[in-house]
Amino acid sequence: MNIYYAPPTQIRSGQAELKGQEAVHASKVMRIRPGEGLTLVDGRGGRYQGKVRDVAKNRVLVDIEDHKQIPEPRPQLILGMGIIKKRDRLEFAVEKAVELGARHILLIRSERCIKKNVRLDRLESIALSAMKQSLRSWLPEVSMVHSLKETINQFPKARILMAHEEVSGGASNYAAAYNKEDQVLLLVGPEGGFTPKEVEYVADAGAELISLGHHRLRAETAVTAVMSPFLK
Ligand code: SAH
């Protein structure tokens, strides 16, 4: 199944409009034609069935035939990850985090980050593709923050879990303990990990430090490992 995306502003009076890359993809790559049926999501839980009315290169008009509102998954999973230096590894981490259900992804310029800037537009388009690929209806927000403090301050109500390789005892069943929460903030360090000062700061803020097993994982693997126990 192929899913298309149109933000809520492009859906009104029983019609949806695909624009930009979405329209090019539909018209040029998928060669969609008037009369064909399609599914589209608005990234805010809206899921629509419609029939194509008109196709131009940069604009595809769809008549809406059915609409469903998909409730936002709970707990809301927020991933705060140190910026990974290698671009392909960072992009992998963002893509997998979306597939596994992240609702917000914060790229943290933590103390041991080597790379300080990212192409947010690229990561947003990866997040969009991953949302469609995984048949999700909520489009995650990707943003950059300057520190762990800023990350935590943005989500004052969230329960915080920090993946920390120095926690002994191996992986625990943390998802079961946090599944009833409204918001869970999951923190994963960059290649060089978090500094002792950062770990202390987060622990003081009430975070639980968790192990992802007895072995050291690469940052992008840790991202997938920390998210997957929450799969439903
Ligand atoms: N500080 C380490 C490795 C960092 S790995 C070093 O340089 O030797 C990158 C991040 O992945 C860590 O900050 C942590 O959040 C996570 N991570 C990796 N392996 C982990 C494990 N076994 N348990 C918990 N977290 C882990």
Side-chain angles (χ1 to χ4, degrees):
M1 175 165 52
N2 235 299
I3 289 200
Y4 296 91
Y5 166 69
T9 49
Q10 286 163 223
I11 305 174
R12 65 180 100 74
S13 334
Q15 281 201 327
E17 214 179 346
L18 305 181
K19 286 186 183 171
Q21 279 307 312
E22 285 297 293
V24 172
H25 182 70
S27 65
K28 293 282 161 205
V29 183
M30 303 309 295
R31 300 188 165 281
I32 203 149
R33 293 291 171 257
E36 279 179 42
L38 60 70
T39 302
L40 65 92
V41 292
D42 67 1
R44 306 283 311 160
R47 204 178 175 85
Y48 300 82
Q49 291 298 326
K51 198 171 262 175
V52 177
R53 168 172 292 274
D54 188 45
V55 181
K57 185 167 165 265
N58 286 311
R59 182 174 157 274
V60 173
L61 261 189
V62 181
D63 290 328
I64 306 284
E65 295 176 332
D66 193 30
H67 168 223
K68 250 200 324 227
Q69 187 64 24
I70 312 287
E72 196 176 353
R74 282 289 181 272
Q76 202 184 54
L77 297 177
I78 301 143
L79 172 69
M81 57 182 278
I83 300 172
I84 299 173
K85 181 172 152 247
K86 283 206 168 166
R87 194 176 83 181
D88 55 344
R89 292 184 185 277
L90 175 66
E91 291 180 356
F92 175 91
V94 168
E95 180 180 88
K96 299 309 150 201
V98 175
E99 284 179 52
L100 295 169
R103 180 69 181 83
H104 294 264
I105 298 175
L106 298 155
L107 305 163
I108 313 168
R109 284 181 177 168
S110 65
E111 290 180 12
R112 291 198 183 132
C113 280
I114 297 162
K115 186 159 140 172
K116 299 288 183 194
N117 275 307
V118 291
R119 288 265 317 264
L120 264 189
D121 57 336
R122 252 189 90 95
L123 294 174
E124 279 164 355
S125 101
I126 287 167
L128 177 62
S129 306
M131 173 193 70
K132 296 194 292 179
Q133 160 66 31
S134 54
L135 308 180
R136 290 182 180 277
S137 308
W138 287 83
L139 180 63
E141 286 153 38
V142 185
S143 55
M144 209 161 79
V145 287
H146 292 85
S147 63
L148 272 172
K149 186 173 177 199
E150 195 183 333
T151 310
I152 290 172
N153 286 346
Q154 281 198 18
F155 297 95
K157 296 208 182 90
R159 298 296 302 270
I160 310 169
L161 291 174
M162 174 185 256
H164 188 47
E165 65 279 13
E166 284 166 29
V167 174
S168 58
S172 63
N173 196 359
Y174 56 87
Y178 287 83
N179 244 329
K180 297 273 178 299
E181 299 294 335
D182 227 29
Q183 254 187 351
V184 180
L185 169 60
L186 301 163
L187 298 170
V188 176
E191 290 93 334
F194 291 117
T195 62
K197 203 174 114 203
E198 286 177 317
V199 175
E200 195 186 309
Y201 176 79
V202 171
D204 284 348
E208 184 184 343
L209 305 185
I210 53 164
S211 166
L212 300 174
H214 297 291
H215 299 279
R216 182 172 64 176
L217 304 174
R218 278 190 184 275
E220 70 276 19
T221 317
V223 163
T224 62
V226 82
M227 299 276 315
S228 41
F230 285 99
L231 284 172
K232 286 186 193 130

